[in-house]
Amino acid sequence: MLRFVLRRLALIVPTFFGVTLLAFALIHLIPGDPVENISGERGMDPARRARLLHQFGLDEPLPVQYARYIGHVLRGDLGQSLTTHDSVAREFATLFPATVELAFFALLFALVVGLPAGVLAAVKRNTVADYAVMGVSLTGYSMPIFWWALLLILFFSVQLGITPVSGRIAVQFDVPSVTGFMLIDTLLAGDLDAFRSALSHLVLPTIALGTIPLAVVSRMTRSAMLEVLREDFVRAARAKGLPRWRVIVVHALRNALIPVVTVVGLQIGLLLSGAILTETIFSWPGVGNWLIHGVQSRDYPVVQGGILLIAGIVIAVNLVVDMLYGVVNPRIRHA
Amino acid sequence: MSVDTAAVADRERFPTGEALVDIRDLRVDFGTAARPLPAVEGVDLSIGAGEIVGLVGESGSGKSVTALALMGLVDEPARVAAQRMQFAGRDLIRMTADARRSLAGRDMAMIFQDPHASLDPCYTVGFQLDEAIRLHGNADERASAAARRQRATALLREVDIREPAMRLRAYPHQLSGGMAQRVMIAIALAGRPRLLIADEPTTALDVTVQAQVLALLLRLRDELGMAILLITHDLAVVAETADRVVVLYAGQVMETGTVPAIFDAPRHPYTRALLDALPEYERGQTRLRTIPGVVPGAHDRPAGCLLAPRCAFAVERCNEVRPALTALRARVSVRCHYPLVVE
């Protein structure tokens, strides 16, 4: 286990250079630069433009800029936003809880609905229930997030008027930020109306972001369950006289979780990238929204730093998930 | 179909009185009603209390399906039907699914061919034993975890597992094959069953371990008085352990009788061929004799005797008329038009 963790930690070095280089190259590939963005449509005096470019260090050759950036990052300095002049790391830390809150509920939604749906489809294989679960999940998987999100808004917010269109909480509530998680902060403030407002704001983004993981989880659970249900130990568990639900949940599902956990781990990266689209559509004040603004204003430090931090978090989460694999699978733990 | 007077006679003569298991004309069909694919076609089986019955046959002969049907573990879309299927005087056919399940693991328990695959890899031996004891134990054991733990330890000791307390914490993959099968037996004993169905219990084990497990089964029969249905393709195993043999072929009983009767003077060509294929049976032979061909599948069943295409003694009538199981003498019956003459 220790060797495994060390090997994975060693992989962080090439991943770090890969991610920073890619982020750096991609953002510089986009036409335009931060100064052009500041100057607006009327343009800017060339002398002032040159001065600003020099001030931001953007007049040097790209390899030099990259090397200097890496130097700063290795000293723990992600730089400052060119638009707000605030520290990139601090901005990220302020906004990240909102993204985590959204991703957490999306994943919870995917698991709470997807696991039982997958089990049901496997147990009732080739029945209407199975076809329904698989049909809905294939549809969900194929649906582009931005379009699905717009459909949800049109139906639930515009037609039925039961959910808010965008944002994280209604404007009249002013909740002091303690943890950054709106649901927790509203409860800490003892403001139940604010809590309800925050909860209702979460519903549609959660569904929009959770739909693809939900489809993946239910399909994976189904196929893993079908495989496990054929195993000898399931027959042996039935021969013991165990009730049907216990054979299915305690023995079959427990074993089927082993591949499902792996797949769920892979979804974390997808959740964060999906969050960028979802946050933009729902004006959710998280890092996804922030990154999109960064790209639009060519805020190089924000985009590079944001991508690097997200990549680091995905790597860390995947490492934790891989270690969890040993927890769910005793054969790995004792190997 | 098969008029079986032998099984009735057999039962009447059996010394322990009423049969524990009484199955008559068991049929298990895979496939559709329009196109049935019979896996078991008219099997009669009776097991007396405390008796060890060997159920013998090649792969695909319907041994395991017969056992699973008795346990109530044959799933849709397969269909199970029988003229009579009784366990300890209770009618299994008319019993509800819940009632069937309450018998399983308690009154009749089952162990399987691959003991490692039959234990859930995610749970310890202790957990899987506890599960069975909680379900089938006495009132005290159902109520108290400590009592269950004590019983689990006792059960492991019963099946000759040393350091039971340590083994309770082990995961299946940490056990040897023989140890895993002993654990399976211990789990089966949790409900103090009257019948243990052992489906090829030693096939996956080393030869030395095989002998130990068989000896254990014999000892448990003697100590606990439970009957054992021993399913195997190995006649040598039957010769060492069973009281009576039922030879299955393609889902039908070919010959049944006491172990001495069958082994001394097999009357069915198939039984004879099986015995000839035993290395121990005819010493001095340089090559083992084999049976040409394969067991007919569910799709291509001969109209006459199911063995006819592979039988060295088959004549025209064998291809046309399917023989019935007929009593030859006390406790021996054969499904053959021309039973072998005792030499």
Side-chain angles (χ1 to χ4, degrees):
Chain A
M1 195 61 177
L2 184 70
R3 263 187 58 193
F4 165 77
V5 173
L6 287 178
R7 202 163 52 225
R8 288 294 296 263
L9 287 176
L11 271 176
I12 287 180
V13 178
T15 313
F16 167 78
F17 283 103
V19 167
T20 49
L21 192 60
L22 205 65
F24 186 85
L26 284 176
I27 189 70
H28 282 90
L29 268 178
I30 309 176
D33 56 51
V35 178
E36 194 175 306
N37 199 65
I38 296 169
S39 50
E41 287 193 1
R42 275 175 302 167
M44 188 186 278
D45 163 43
R48 181 155 175 249
R49 180 179 153 78
R51 205 171 59 241
L52 278 173
L53 279 178
H54 180 73
Q55 187 189 325
F56 294 149
L58 297 173
D59 54 347
E60 288 178 279
L62 286 182
V64 177
Q65 288 187 39
Y66 177 69
R68 206 179 36 213
Y69 177 66
I70 289 295
H72 283 291
V73 169
L74 287 179
R75 267 171 286 161
D77 177 15
L78 289 176
Q80 293 172 346
S81 161
L82 300 181
T83 42
T84 64
H85 304 288
D86 200 358
S87 140
V88 167
R90 196 170 325 125
E91 283 199 350
F92 185 90
T94 322
L95 297 171
F96 192 56
T99 302
V100 172
E101 194 168 49
L102 176 56
F104 172 81
F105 278 95
L107 189 60
L108 192 70
F109 169 69
L111 290 174
V112 166
V113 181
L115 282 176
V119 170
L120 180 78
V123 172
K124 304 265 176 206
R125 188 186 189 180
N126 292 340
T127 64
V128 178
D130 182 17
Y131 298 142
V133 169
M134 286 304 99
V136 169
S137 103
L138 184 65
T139 313
Y141 190 73
S142 321
M143 199 99 78
I145 292 184
F146 64 91
W147 184 60
W148 176 224
L150 288 178
L151 284 185
L152 288 172
I153 292 173
L154 274 178
F155 187 68
F156 289 103
S157 305
V158 180
Q159 288 280 335
L160 300 180
I162 52 177
T163 50
V165 176
S166 68
R168 215 177 161 197
I169 193 163
V171 283
Q172 72 264 32
F173 297 108
D174 186 23
V175 181
S177 176
V178 182
T179 60
F181 299 100
M182 197 58 92
L183 290 183
I184 299 176
D185 286 347
T186 50
L187 285 181
L188 286 180
D191 191 342
L192 277 183
D193 287 334
F195 177 78
R196 240 175 269 124
S197 171
L199 201 58
S200 71
H201 278 80
L202 250 175
V203 174
L204 291 191
T206 293
I207 295 175
L209 183 57
T211 297
I212 289 177
L214 163 65
V216 173
V217 166
S218 65
R219 293 186 82 84
M220 192 65 214
T221 305
R222 176 181 181 270
S223 71
M225 279 294 286
L226 284 178
E227 209 153 288
V228 172
L229 284 172
R230 278 197 297 268
E231 296 275 358
D232 283 357
F233 63 79
V234 169
R235 193 181 53 186
R238 291 177 62 198
K240 274 162 122 177
L242 295 177
R244 192 174 154 79
W245 72 263
R246 199 173 160 93
V247 175
I248 289 172
V249 176
V250 176
H251 291 284
L253 181 59
R254 175 67 178 74
N255 281 273
L257 277 184
I258 295 170
V260 171
V261 164
T262 315
V263 169
V264 167
L266 295 174
Q267 297 305 304
I268 312 273
L270 261 166
L271 276 174
L272 288 177
S273 63
I276 294 178
L277 279 170
T278 313
E279 288 179 5
T280 308
I281 293 166
F282 290 97
S283 305
W284 190 264
V287 290
N289 212 351
W290 173 67
L291 265 182
I292 290 291
H293 282 296
V295 171
Q296 281 163 353
S297 57
R298 307 289 184 273
D299 196 337
Y300 295 166
V302 162
V303 176
Q304 289 165 5
I307 290 178
L308 183 60
L309 286 171
I310 289 177
I313 286 159
V314 170
I315 290 173
V317 169
N318 279 344
L319 184 63
V320 170
V321 168
D322 281 338
M323 295 193 317
L324 259 179
Y325 195 71
V327 175
V328 294
N329 191 346
R331 279 166 296 189
I332 299 264
R333 202 186 321 151
H334 297 279
Chain B
M1 290 299 288
S2 68
V3 183
D4 185 3
T5 46
V8 180
D10 197 354
R11 215 169 297 127
E12 280 164 4
R13 278 159 217 263
F14 193 72
T16 50
E18 194 169 319
L20 181 63
V21 173
D22 184 4
I23 297 176
R24 193 171 163 90
D25 197 18
L26 174 71
R27 289 160 184 283
V28 181
D29 254 312
F30 295 87
T32 59
R35 197 159 176 276
L37 301 171
V40 173
E41 196 179 355
V43 162
D44 301 325
L45 180 68
S46 75
I47 305 170
E51 190 185 18
I52 300 185
V53 174
L55 192 56
V56 194
E58 289 170 81
S59 314
S61 59
K63 302 168 297 206
S64 296
V65 177
T66 301
L68 291 173
L70 178 56
M71 284 292 289
L73 292 180
V74 174
D75 289 319
E76 300 273 340
R79 291 176 308 279
V80 178
Q83 251 183 50
R84 185 165 58 225
M85 185 147 75
Q86 292 188 336
F87 180 83
R90 298 174 67 186
D91 185 354
L92 297 179
I93 303 172
R94 264 168 278 284
M95 214 177 259
T96 63
D98 279 345
R100 276 305 279 282
R101 197 174 50 233
S102 72
L103 282 180
R106 183 192 304 269
D107 297 288
M108 47 172 132
M110 187 162 178
I111 61 174
F112 300 90
Q113 176 167 349
D114 185 345
H116 270 134
S118 300
L119 289 165
D120 189 326
C122 284
Y123 297 101
T124 60
V125 167
F127 179 94
Q128 299 186 56
L129 261 168
D130 185 86
E131 211 175 23
I133 299 168
R134 190 195 296 257
L135 205 60
H136 304 302
N138 58 35
D140 190 27
E141 287 158 1
R142 284 199 297 276
S144 135
R148 285 200 298 276
R149 208 185 138 71
Q150 206 171 2
R151 179 87 202 287
T153 317
L155 281 170
L156 288 187
R157 213 170 273 132
E158 175 93 61
V159 296
D160 297 331
I161 289 181
R162 261 166 281 166
E163 301 185 67
M166 194 186 86
R167 294 299 172 192
L168 284 178
R169 288 192 303 273
Y171 282 91
H173 69 272
Q174 296 167 319
L175 305 175
S176 68
M179 187 95 73
Q181 194 59 289
R182 285 171 200 274
V183 168
M184 284 302 291
I185 296 173
I187 291 172
L189 293 180
R192 302 173 177 88
R194 301 167 72 181
L195 171 69
L196 176 68
I197 301 174
D199 189 354
E200 305 261 9
T202 58
T203 308
L205 306 178
D206 294 339
V207 181
T208 49
V209 183
Q210 274 186 21
Q212 290 169 7
V213 169
L214 287 177
L216 171 66
L217 288 177
L218 275 174
R219 197 198 83 210
L220 292 173
R221 188 270 297 261
D222 293 342
E223 283 177 15
L224 309 174
M226 66 180 179
I228 296 175
L229 177 61
L230 182 64
I231 300 171
T232 177
H233 63 269
D234 188 347
L235 277 171
V237 167
V238 171
E240 281 165 33
T241 39
D243 304 314
R244 214 150 48 79
V245 197
V246 177
V247 179
L248 276 193
Y249 181 79
Q252 290 201 321
V253 176
M254 292 290 129
E255 182 165 13
T256 162
T258 60
V259 165
I262 298 287
F263 279 77
D264 290 344
R267 304 299 302 275
H268 198 287
Y270 181 64
T271 317
R272 170 89 225 183
L274 281 181
L275 287 169
D276 282 344
L278 270 183
E280 297 91 340
Y281 193 64
E282 252 180 272
R283 288 176 202 283
Q285 292 258 348
T286 46
R287 285 184 73 101
L288 290 178
R289 274 188 245 168
T290 56
I291 310 173
V294 291
V295 183
H299 300 272
D300 48 0
R301 296 175 79 78
C305 175
L306 291 169
L307 186 67
R310 300 174 72 188
C311 181
F313 307 96
V315 295
E316 214 173 307
R317 185 174 168 223
C318 298
N319 289 317
E320 284 154 10
V321 184
R322 192 171 289 181
L325 193 63
T326 12
L328 285 188
R329 56 189 174 98
R331 313 199 55 202
V332 174
S333 38
V334 172
R335 187 190 295 274
C336 182
H337 292 308
Y338 308 102
L340 300 174
V341 179
V342 183
E343 290 148 23

